[in-house]
């Protein structure tokens, strides 16, 4: 796709919308409406959106301010970050959540229009990049990135998933502009295109790859964690709103921290709440947001995430989507530091939980993490599944090289002596086999039989 066409499509996405909404406004001086833009189906933003809304923590924090005002929260749901940015720069959204690449566009657009915004917290992240995945149709003959040359690949231009696609192709020696035919499509449109055969592959962010794999409509071709570069989603706020109503923003960030703690303490219940609100299968939500899920949730703005954001600028610049972005000026952690107090330093140094194999038994609905079962090795999980096939709601295993969690029955399994190792993609499995004499790819059924 030509750069001019890309730029034109982005302009259309970012053009100010006419939908109703409003910034933190006070009608008679006693009632204040705070407008929050979120993406319900981008499920690693849930602590600033879907889950936060369902728990009612933000409203509770606002009611406890004791400033004599009545607060109303206007929650606005969007499919991507671009329209949230458009509404923010139009002064119609106060707080929004989106992925790392859209955050940079948010920063650039705000500065360009004299309506600056700031990154004020983080929602979900993966330090290796596992939140983005390239998938193909279940019966596709494509087995590696090299096979994408000359093919039609759907993605959302300017998204984190597009960034993964560009970087992955570059590492594979394929020109992202000339080596493939890139289709600029919304996630749902791209998923339909993949099913219809009008796209050969789809590069998307959570929860689309996991959803399509779970539904049997796609299989993984490339695990974004192979890049070993952090990806994350975060919260952005308008500068004028933050300065005018710092207590409101701090209330939001306190509520976000509460929602984060709820998700971490009650991952099964949190997944079911998000599933109920979005229509996504709870098993897919748990793949990303579970106790050992692909996404780690913490509002702290970690240094490695800021560094990753700076590295992302070059990708957007090369696509003519932004110019230079002053990331240091965009990041503003003063509000989240004040909101979380001494707890912030602890969160800043916290590390993601170790990858683990996990089974979600039937009947464990609504229970905390203890309602699921974890196993030291994928083989132990397989042995359990083989004995309890009718009692399993979902089984998850981490990729043997990247740690990216995937559905056990959708993983590519390798038998290496007594070891049974899962991989997200065929290419990664084949790389392992090539380097380990005697190792071979086996079917899931064979893996279950060997484990039992």
């Amino acid at each position: 796709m030509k750069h001019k066409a890309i730029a034109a499509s982005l302009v259309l996405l970012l053009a100010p919308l006419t939908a109703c909404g409003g910034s933190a406004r006070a009608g008679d001086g006693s009632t204040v409406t705070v407008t929050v833009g979120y993406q319900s189906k981008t499920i690693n933003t849930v602590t600033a959106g879907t889950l936060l809304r369902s728990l009612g923590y933000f409203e509770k924090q606002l009611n406890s301010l004791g400033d004599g005002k009545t607060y109303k929260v206007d929650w606005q749901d969007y499919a991507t970050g671009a329209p949230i940015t458009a509404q923010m720069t139009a002064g119609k959204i106060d707080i929004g959540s989106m992925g790392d690449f859209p955050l940079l566009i948010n920063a650039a657009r705000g500065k360009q229009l004299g309506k600056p915004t700031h990154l004020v917290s983080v929602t979900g992240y993966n330090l290796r990049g596992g939140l983005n995945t390239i998938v193909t149709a279940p019966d596709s003959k494509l087995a590696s990135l090299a096979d994408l040359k000359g093919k039609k690949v759907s993605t959302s231009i300017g998204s984190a998933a597009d960034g993964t696609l560009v970087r992955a192709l570059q590492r594979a020696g394929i020109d992202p502009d000339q080596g493939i035919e890139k289709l600029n499509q919304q996630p749902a449109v791209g998923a339909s295109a993949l099913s219809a055969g009008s796209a050969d592959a789809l590069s998307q962010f959570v929860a689309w790859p996991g959803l399509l794999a779970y539904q049997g409509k796609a299989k993984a071709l490339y695990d974004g964690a192979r890049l070993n570069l952090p990806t994350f989603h975060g919260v952005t706020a308008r500068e004028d709103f933050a300065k005018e109503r710092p207590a409101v923003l701090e209330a939001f960030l306190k509520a976000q921290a509460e929602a984060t703690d709820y998700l971490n303490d009650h991952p099964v219940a949190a997944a079911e709440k998000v599933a109920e609100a979005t229509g996504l299968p709870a098993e897919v939500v748990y793949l990303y947001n579970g106790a050992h899920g692909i996404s780690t949730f913490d509002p702290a703005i970690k240094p490695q995430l800021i560094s990753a954001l700076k590295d992302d600028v070059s990708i957007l610049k090369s696509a003519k989507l932004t110019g230079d972005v002053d990331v240091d000026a965009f990041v503003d952690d003063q509000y989240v530091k004040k909101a979380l107090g001494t707890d912030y330093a602890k969160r800043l140094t916290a590390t993601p939980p170790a990858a683990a194999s996990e089974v979600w038994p039937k009947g464990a609905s609504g229970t905390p993490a203890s309602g699921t079962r974890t196993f030291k090795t994928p083989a132990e999980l397989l042995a359990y599944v083989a004995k309890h096939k009718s009692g399993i709601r979902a089984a998850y295993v981490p990729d043997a090289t990247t740690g990216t969690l995937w559905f056990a029955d959708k993983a590519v399994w390798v038998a290496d002596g007594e070891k049974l190792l899962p991989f997200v993609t065929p290419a990664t499995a084949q790389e392992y086999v090539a380097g380990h004499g005697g190792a071979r790819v086996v079917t899931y059924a064979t893996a279950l039989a060997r484990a039992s």
Side-chain angles (χ1 to χ4, degrees), residues 355-387:
S357 300
E358 188 173 7
V359 164
W360 185 350
K362 290 181 179 177
S365 299
T367 59
S370 59
T372 63
R373 296 193 56 167
T374 57
F375 301 85
K376 293 181 180 179
T377 68
E380 290 180 7
L381 175 140
L382 289 176
Y384 179 88
V385 171
K387 295 178 181 178

PDB file of all heavy atoms in Angstrom, residues 355-387:
ATOM      1  N   ALA A 355       5.891 -18.387  33.526  1.00  0.00           N
ATOM      2  CA  ALA A 355       4.978 -19.127  32.665  1.00  0.00           C
ATOM      3  C   ALA A 355       4.689 -20.488  33.280  1.00  0.00           C
ATOM      4  O   ALA A 355       5.554 -21.092  33.918  1.00  0.00           O
ATOM      5  CB  ALA A 355       5.584 -19.288  31.278  1.00  0.00           C
ATOM      6  N   ALA A 356       3.472 -20.973  33.105  1.00  0.00           N
ATOM      7  CA  ALA A 356       3.096 -22.270  33.673  1.00  0.00           C
ATOM      8  C   ALA A 356       1.962 -22.877  32.856  1.00  0.00           C
ATOM      9  O   ALA A 356       1.175 -22.165  32.224  1.00  0.00           O
ATOM     10  CB  ALA A 356       2.672 -22.120  35.130  1.00  0.00           C
ATOM     11  N   SER A 357       1.899 -24.192  32.869  1.00  0.00           N
ATOM     12  CA  SER A 357       0.788 -24.901  32.242  1.00  0.00           C
ATOM     13  C   SER A 357      -0.393 -24.883  33.203  1.00  0.00           C
ATOM     14  O   SER A 357      -0.216 -25.060  34.414  1.00  0.00           O
ATOM     15  CB  SER A 357       1.195 -26.337  31.923  1.00  0.00           C
ATOM     16  OG  SER A 357       2.304 -26.358  31.044  1.00  0.00           O
ATOM     17  N   GLU A 358      -1.590 -24.678  32.675  1.00  0.00           N
ATOM     18  CA  GLU A 358      -2.748 -24.499  33.553  1.00  0.00           C
ATOM     19  C   GLU A 358      -4.000 -25.093  32.922  1.00  0.00           C
ATOM     20  O   GLU A 358      -4.224 -24.958  31.709  1.00  0.00           O
ATOM     21  CB  GLU A 358      -2.958 -23.004  33.821  1.00  0.00           C
ATOM     22  CG  GLU A 358      -4.010 -22.689  34.855  1.00  0.00           C
ATOM     23  CD  GLU A 358      -4.055 -21.208  35.201  1.00  0.00           C
ATOM     24  OE1 GLU A 358      -3.356 -20.413  34.539  1.00  0.00           O
ATOM     25  OE2 GLU A 358      -4.806 -20.845  36.121  1.00  0.00           O
ATOM     26  N   VAL A 359      -4.797 -25.729  33.750  1.00  0.00           N
ATOM     27  CA  VAL A 359      -6.071 -26.302  33.313  1.00  0.00           C
ATOM     28  C   VAL A 359      -7.210 -25.590  34.030  1.00  0.00           C
ATOM     29  O   VAL A 359      -7.140 -25.336  35.227  1.00  0.00           O
ATOM     30  CB  VAL A 359      -6.133 -27.814  33.609  1.00  0.00           C
ATOM     31  CG1 VAL A 359      -7.581 -28.329  33.533  1.00  0.00           C
ATOM     32  CG2 VAL A 359      -5.277 -28.583  32.626  1.00  0.00           C
ATOM     33  N   TRP A 360      -8.244 -25.278  33.262  1.00  0.00           N
ATOM     34  CA  TRP A 360      -9.458 -24.695  33.828  1.00  0.00           C
ATOM     35  C   TRP A 360     -10.525 -25.790  33.811  1.00  0.00           C
ATOM     36  O   TRP A 360     -11.135 -26.060  32.784  1.00  0.00           O
ATOM     37  CB  TRP A 360      -9.894 -23.497  32.977  1.00  0.00           C
ATOM     38  CG  TRP A 360     -11.072 -22.742  33.533  1.00  0.00           C
ATOM     39  CD1 TRP A 360     -11.892 -23.086  34.557  1.00  0.00           C
ATOM     40  CD2 TRP A 360     -11.580 -21.485  33.029  1.00  0.00           C
ATOM     41  NE1 TRP A 360     -12.870 -22.143  34.752  1.00  0.00           N
ATOM     42  CE2 TRP A 360     -12.702 -21.146  33.826  1.00  0.00           C
ATOM     43  CE3 TRP A 360     -11.199 -20.633  32.004  1.00  0.00           C
ATOM     44  CZ2 TRP A 360     -13.449 -19.983  33.605  1.00  0.00           C
ATOM     45  CZ3 TRP A 360     -11.936 -19.481  31.783  1.00  0.00           C
ATOM     46  CH2 TRP A 360     -13.046 -19.157  32.577  1.00  0.00           C
ATOM     47  N   PRO A 361     -10.758 -26.448  34.940  1.00  0.00           N
ATOM     48  CA  PRO A 361     -11.746 -27.522  34.976  1.00  0.00           C
ATOM     49  C   PRO A 361     -13.161 -26.971  34.863  1.00  0.00           C
ATOM     50  O   PRO A 361     -13.434 -25.832  35.240  1.00  0.00           O
ATOM     51  CB  PRO A 361     -11.530 -28.163  36.350  1.00  0.00           C
ATOM     52  CG  PRO A 361     -10.211 -27.653  36.823  1.00  0.00           C
ATOM     53  CD  PRO A 361     -10.064 -26.292  36.213  1.00  0.00           C
ATOM     54  N   LYS A 362     -14.040 -27.774  34.362  1.00  0.00           N
ATOM     55  CA  LYS A 362     -15.451 -27.401  34.370  1.00  0.00           C
ATOM     56  C   LYS A 362     -15.917 -27.347  35.815  1.00  0.00           C
ATOM     57  O   LYS A 362     -15.477 -28.116  36.660  1.00  0.00           O
ATOM     58  CB  LYS A 362     -16.276 -28.432  33.599  1.00  0.00           C
ATOM     59  CG  LYS A 362     -16.041 -28.414  32.102  1.00  0.00           C
ATOM     60  CD  LYS A 362     -16.903 -29.440  31.383  1.00  0.00           C
ATOM     61  CE  LYS A 362     -16.675 -29.391  29.879  1.00  0.00           C
ATOM     62  NZ  LYS A 362     -17.453 -30.441  29.170  1.00  0.00           N
ATOM     63  N   GLY A 363     -16.791 -26.388  36.092  1.00  0.00           N
ATOM     64  CA  GLY A 363     -17.287 -26.249  37.450  1.00  0.00           C
ATOM     65  C   GLY A 363     -16.475 -25.310  38.298  1.00  0.00           C
ATOM     66  O   GLY A 363     -16.788 -25.090  39.468  1.00  0.00           O
ATOM     67  N   ALA A 364     -15.404 -24.720  37.693  1.00  0.00           N
ATOM     68  CA  ALA A 364     -14.566 -23.799  38.474  1.00  0.00           C
ATOM     69  C   ALA A 364     -14.949 -22.349  38.229  1.00  0.00           C
ATOM     70  O   ALA A 364     -14.193 -21.449  38.501  1.00  0.00           O
ATOM     71  CB  ALA A 364     -13.096 -24.008  38.118  1.00  0.00           C
ATOM     72  N   SER A 365     -16.143 -22.117  37.706  1.00  0.00           N
ATOM     73  CA  SER A 365     -16.576 -20.765  37.396  1.00  0.00           C
ATOM     74  C   SER A 365     -16.642 -19.892  38.632  1.00  0.00           C
ATOM     75  O   SER A 365     -17.080 -20.331  39.693  1.00  0.00           O
ATOM     76  CB  SER A 365     -17.956 -20.795  36.725  1.00  0.00           C
ATOM     77  OG  SER A 365     -17.919 -21.527  35.517  1.00  0.00           O
ATOM     78  N   GLY A 366     -16.199 -18.644  38.462  1.00  0.00           N
ATOM     79  CA  GLY A 366     -16.338 -17.650  39.511  1.00  0.00           C
ATOM     80  C   GLY A 366     -15.373 -17.800  40.667  1.00  0.00           C
ATOM     81  O   GLY A 366     -15.371 -16.996  41.584  1.00  0.00           O
ATOM     82  N   THR A 367     -14.532 -18.828  40.634  1.00  0.00           N
ATOM     83  CA  THR A 367     -13.603 -19.031  41.733  1.00  0.00           C
ATOM     84  C   THR A 367     -12.276 -18.343  41.438  1.00  0.00           C
ATOM     85  O   THR A 367     -11.966 -18.053  40.291  1.00  0.00           O
ATOM     86  CB  THR A 367     -13.355 -20.529  41.953  1.00  0.00           C
ATOM     87  OG1 THR A 367     -12.819 -21.078  40.741  1.00  0.00           O
ATOM     88  CG2 THR A 367     -14.632 -21.248  42.295  1.00  0.00           C
ATOM     89  N   PRO A 368     -11.476 -18.088  42.451  1.00  0.00           N
ATOM     90  CA  PRO A 368     -10.181 -17.471  42.220  1.00  0.00           C
ATOM     91  C   PRO A 368      -9.221 -18.443  41.557  1.00  0.00           C
ATOM     92  O   PRO A 368      -9.610 -19.538  41.150  1.00  0.00           O
ATOM     93  CB  PRO A 368      -9.717 -17.086  43.625  1.00  0.00           C
ATOM     94  CG  PRO A 368     -10.437 -18.013  44.521  1.00  0.00           C
ATOM     95  CD  PRO A 368     -11.773 -18.246  43.876  1.00  0.00           C
ATOM     96  N   ALA A 369      -7.931 -18.067  41.475  1.00  0.00           N
ATOM     97  CA  ALA A 369      -6.948 -18.871  40.758  1.00  0.00           C
ATOM     98  C   ALA A 369      -6.890 -20.304  41.282  1.00  0.00           C
ATOM     99  O   ALA A 369      -6.523 -21.227  40.570  1.00  0.00           O
ATOM    100  CB  ALA A 369      -5.578 -18.212  40.849  1.00  0.00           C
ATOM    101  N   SER A 370      -7.233 -20.496  42.565  1.00  0.00           N
ATOM    102  CA  SER A 370      -7.200 -21.840  43.133  1.00  0.00           C
ATOM    103  C   SER A 370      -8.218 -22.761  42.462  1.00  0.00           C
ATOM    104  O   SER A 370      -8.147 -23.981  42.598  1.00  0.00           O
ATOM    105  CB  SER A 370      -7.467 -21.785  44.644  1.00  0.00           C
ATOM    106  OG  SER A 370      -8.736 -21.196  44.899  1.00  0.00           O
ATOM    107  N   GLY A 371      -9.180 -22.176  41.731  1.00  0.00           N
ATOM    108  CA  GLY A 371     -10.153 -22.990  41.023  1.00  0.00           C
ATOM    109  C   GLY A 371      -9.575 -23.649  39.791  1.00  0.00           C
ATOM    110  O   GLY A 371     -10.162 -24.573  39.247  1.00  0.00           O
ATOM    111  N   THR A 372      -8.420 -23.168  39.318  1.00  0.00           N
ATOM    112  CA  THR A 372      -7.730 -23.804  38.209  1.00  0.00           C
ATOM    113  C   THR A 372      -6.582 -24.634  38.769  1.00  0.00           C
ATOM    114  O   THR A 372      -6.253 -24.552  39.946  1.00  0.00           O
ATOM    115  CB  THR A 372      -7.177 -22.759  37.222  1.00  0.00           C
ATOM    116  OG1 THR A 372      -6.200 -21.957  37.885  1.00  0.00           O
ATOM    117  CG2 THR A 372      -8.305 -21.872  36.698  1.00  0.00           C
ATOM    118  N   ARG A 373      -5.947 -25.431  37.891  1.00  0.00           N
ATOM    119  CA  ARG A 373      -4.825 -26.259  38.332  1.00  0.00           C
ATOM    120  C   ARG A 373      -3.608 -25.951  37.480  1.00  0.00           C
ATOM    121  O   ARG A 373      -3.707 -25.877  36.258  1.00  0.00           O
ATOM    122  CB  ARG A 373      -5.178 -27.744  38.226  1.00  0.00           C
ATOM    123  CG  ARG A 373      -6.311 -28.165  39.143  1.00  0.00           C
ATOM    124  CD  ARG A 373      -6.422 -29.677  39.240  1.00  0.00           C
ATOM    125  NE  ARG A 373      -5.165 -30.281  39.687  1.00  0.00           N
ATOM    126  CZ  ARG A 373      -5.071 -31.554  40.099  1.00  0.00           C
ATOM    127  NH1 ARG A 373      -6.147 -32.322  40.149  1.00  0.00           N
ATOM    128  NH2 ARG A 373      -3.907 -32.051  40.476  1.00  0.00           N
ATOM    129  N   THR A 374      -2.469 -25.765  38.129  1.00  0.00           N
ATOM    130  CA  THR A 374      -1.231 -25.529  37.405  1.00  0.00           C
ATOM    131  C   THR A 374      -0.334 -26.759  37.508  1.00  0.00           C
ATOM    132  O   THR A 374      -0.441 -27.546  38.467  1.00  0.00           O
ATOM    133  CB  THR A 374      -0.478 -24.304  37.955  1.00  0.00           C
ATOM    134  OG1 THR A 374      -0.224 -24.495  39.353  1.00  0.00           O
ATOM    135  CG2 THR A 374      -1.294 -23.034  37.756  1.00  0.00           C
ATOM    136  N   PHE A 375       0.553 -26.889  36.524  1.00  0.00           N
ATOM    137  CA  PHE A 375       1.427 -28.054  36.442  1.00  0.00           C
ATOM    138  C   PHE A 375       2.854 -27.599  36.159  1.00  0.00           C
ATOM    139  O   PHE A 375       3.075 -26.595  35.483  1.00  0.00           O
ATOM    140  CB  PHE A 375       0.944 -29.006  35.338  1.00  0.00           C
ATOM    141  CG  PHE A 375      -0.456 -29.504  35.544  1.00  0.00           C
ATOM    142  CD1 PHE A 375      -1.542 -28.754  35.111  1.00  0.00           C
ATOM    143  CD2 PHE A 375      -0.695 -30.699  36.202  1.00  0.00           C
ATOM    144  CE1 PHE A 375      -2.849 -29.196  35.310  1.00  0.00           C
ATOM    145  CE2 PHE A 375      -1.995 -31.144  36.416  1.00  0.00           C
ATOM    146  CZ  PHE A 375      -3.077 -30.399  35.975  1.00  0.00           C
ATOM    147  N   LYS A 376       3.813 -28.359  36.663  1.00  0.00           N
ATOM    148  CA  LYS A 376       5.215 -27.994  36.493  1.00  0.00           C
ATOM    149  C   LYS A 376       5.675 -28.117  35.046  1.00  0.00           C
ATOM    150  O   LYS A 376       6.545 -27.370  34.598  1.00  0.00           O
ATOM    151  CB  LYS A 376       6.087 -28.864  37.408  1.00  0.00           C
ATOM    152  CG  LYS A 376       5.893 -28.605  38.890  1.00  0.00           C
ATOM    153  CD  LYS A 376       6.815 -29.485  39.716  1.00  0.00           C
ATOM    154  CE  LYS A 376       6.624 -29.221  41.201  1.00  0.00           C
ATOM    155  NZ  LYS A 376       7.508 -30.082  42.040  1.00  0.00           N
ATOM    156  N   THR A 377       5.104 -29.072  34.340  1.00  0.00           N
ATOM    157  CA  THR A 377       5.512 -29.287  32.945  1.00  0.00           C
ATOM    158  C   THR A 377       4.288 -29.483  32.058  1.00  0.00           C
ATOM    159  O   THR A 377       3.221 -29.909  32.528  1.00  0.00           O
ATOM    160  CB  THR A 377       6.398 -30.534  32.810  1.00  0.00           C
ATOM    161  OG1 THR A 377       5.604 -31.707  33.090  1.00  0.00           O
ATOM    162  CG2 THR A 377       7.594 -30.469  33.739  1.00  0.00           C
ATOM    163  N   PRO A 378       4.418 -29.201  30.761  1.00  0.00           N
ATOM    164  CA  PRO A 378       3.320 -29.458  29.829  1.00  0.00           C
ATOM    165  C   PRO A 378       2.937 -30.933  29.798  1.00  0.00           C
ATOM    166  O   PRO A 378       1.753 -31.268  29.638  1.00  0.00           O
ATOM    167  CB  PRO A 378       3.886 -29.002  28.485  1.00  0.00           C
ATOM    168  CG  PRO A 378       4.921 -27.987  28.833  1.00  0.00           C
ATOM    169  CD  PRO A 378       5.538 -28.484  30.108  1.00  0.00           C
ATOM    170  N   ALA A 379       3.915 -31.823  29.980  1.00  0.00           N
ATOM    171  CA  ALA A 379       3.614 -33.253  29.962  1.00  0.00           C
ATOM    172  C   ALA A 379       2.691 -33.637  31.110  1.00  0.00           C
ATOM    173  O   ALA A 379       1.783 -34.464  30.946  1.00  0.00           O
ATOM    174  CB  ALA A 379       4.913 -34.060  30.032  1.00  0.00           C
ATOM    175  N   GLU A 380       2.908 -33.020  32.286  1.00  0.00           N
ATOM    176  CA  GLU A 380       2.035 -33.296  33.417  1.00  0.00           C
ATOM    177  C   GLU A 380       0.626 -32.806  33.137  1.00  0.00           C
ATOM    178  O   GLU A 380      -0.352 -33.458  33.519  1.00  0.00           O
ATOM    179  CB  GLU A 380       2.594 -32.631  34.677  1.00  0.00           C
ATOM    180  CG  GLU A 380       3.875 -33.262  35.202  1.00  0.00           C
ATOM    181  CD  GLU A 380       4.390 -32.575  36.442  1.00  0.00           C
ATOM    182  OE1 GLU A 380       3.690 -31.694  36.983  1.00  0.00           O
ATOM    183  OE2 GLU A 380       5.506 -32.905  36.880  1.00  0.00           O
ATOM    184  N   LEU A 381       0.512 -31.663  32.476  1.00  0.00           N
ATOM    185  CA  LEU A 381      -0.815 -31.170  32.094  1.00  0.00           C
ATOM    186  C   LEU A 381      -1.484 -32.157  31.139  1.00  0.00           C
ATOM    187  O   LEU A 381      -2.672 -32.482  31.297  1.00  0.00           O
ATOM    188  CB  LEU A 381      -0.712 -29.791  31.445  1.00  0.00           C
ATOM    189  CG  LEU A 381      -2.021 -29.217  30.882  1.00  0.00           C
ATOM    190  CD1 LEU A 381      -2.132 -27.723  31.165  1.00  0.00           C
ATOM    191  CD2 LEU A 381      -2.139 -29.444  29.373  1.00  0.00           C
ATOM    192  N   LEU A 382      -0.741 -32.637  30.156  1.00  0.00           N
ATOM    193  CA  LEU A 382      -1.314 -33.579  29.196  1.00  0.00           C
ATOM    194  C   LEU A 382      -1.805 -34.844  29.890  1.00  0.00           C
ATOM    195  O   LEU A 382      -2.868 -35.377  29.548  1.00  0.00           O
ATOM    196  CB  LEU A 382      -0.272 -33.936  28.133  1.00  0.00           C
ATOM    197  CG  LEU A 382       0.093 -32.846  27.130  1.00  0.00           C
ATOM    198  CD1 LEU A 382       1.213 -33.323  26.217  1.00  0.00           C
ATOM    199  CD2 LEU A 382      -1.115 -32.424  26.301  1.00  0.00           C
ATOM    200  N   ALA A 383      -1.033 -35.312  30.857  1.00  0.00           N
ATOM    201  CA  ALA A 383      -1.436 -36.516  31.580  1.00  0.00           C
ATOM    202  C   ALA A 383      -2.755 -36.282  32.318  1.00  0.00           C
ATOM    203  O   ALA A 383      -3.628 -37.164  32.345  1.00  0.00           O
ATOM    204  CB  ALA A 383      -0.342 -36.927  32.561  1.00  0.00           C
ATOM    205  N   TYR A 384      -2.915 -35.116  32.891  1.00  0.00           N
ATOM    206  CA  TYR A 384      -4.154 -34.788  33.592  1.00  0.00           C
ATOM    207  C   TYR A 384      -5.319 -34.691  32.604  1.00  0.00           C
ATOM    208  O   TYR A 384      -6.403 -35.234  32.854  1.00  0.00           O
ATOM    209  CB  TYR A 384      -3.989 -33.467  34.341  1.00  0.00           C
ATOM    210  CG  TYR A 384      -5.228 -33.023  35.084  1.00  0.00           C
ATOM    211  CD1 TYR A 384      -5.467 -33.441  36.388  1.00  0.00           C
ATOM    212  CD2 TYR A 384      -6.175 -32.196  34.473  1.00  0.00           C
ATOM    213  CE1 TYR A 384      -6.605 -33.048  37.067  1.00  0.00           C
ATOM    214  CE2 TYR A 384      -7.314 -31.798  35.143  1.00  0.00           C
ATOM    215  CZ  TYR A 384      -7.529 -32.226  36.438  1.00  0.00           C
ATOM    216  OH  TYR A 384      -8.661 -31.834  37.102  1.00  0.00           O
ATOM    217  N   VAL A 385      -5.073 -34.002  31.476  1.00  0.00           N
ATOM    218  CA  VAL A 385      -6.130 -33.844  30.474  1.00  0.00           C
ATOM    219  C   VAL A 385      -6.566 -35.199  29.937  1.00  0.00           C
ATOM    220  O   VAL A 385      -7.763 -35.459  29.736  1.00  0.00           O
ATOM    221  CB  VAL A 385      -5.653 -32.930  29.323  1.00  0.00           C
ATOM    222  CG1 VAL A 385      -6.657 -32.944  28.173  1.00  0.00           C
ATOM    223  CG2 VAL A 385      -5.445 -31.506  29.826  1.00  0.00           C
ATOM    224  N   ALA A 386      -5.604 -36.088  29.715  1.00  0.00           N
ATOM    225  CA  ALA A 386      -5.927 -37.407  29.170  1.00  0.00           C
ATOM    226  C   ALA A 386      -6.859 -38.183  30.091  1.00  0.00           C
ATOM    227  O   ALA A 386      -7.698 -38.977  29.624  1.00  0.00           O
ATOM    228  CB  ALA A 386      -4.649 -38.201  28.941  1.00  0.00           C
ATOM    229  N   LYS A 387      -6.756 -37.951  31.381  1.00  0.00           N
ATOM    230  CA  LYS A 387      -7.597 -38.664  32.351  1.00  0.00           C
ATOM    231  C   LYS A 387      -8.913 -37.946  32.637  1.00  0.00           C
ATOM    232  O   LYS A 387      -9.807 -38.526  33.255  1.00  0.00           O
ATOM    233  CB  LYS A 387      -6.832 -38.842  33.669  1.00  0.00           C
ATOM    234  CG  LYS A 387      -5.617 -39.735  33.552  1.00  0.00           C
ATOM    235  CD  LYS A 387      -4.876 -39.818  34.884  1.00  0.00           C
ATOM    236  CE  LYS A 387      -3.632 -40.690  34.796  1.00  0.00           C
ATOM    237  NZ  LYS A 387      -2.891 -40.729  36.083  1.00  0.00           N
TER     238      LYS A 387
END
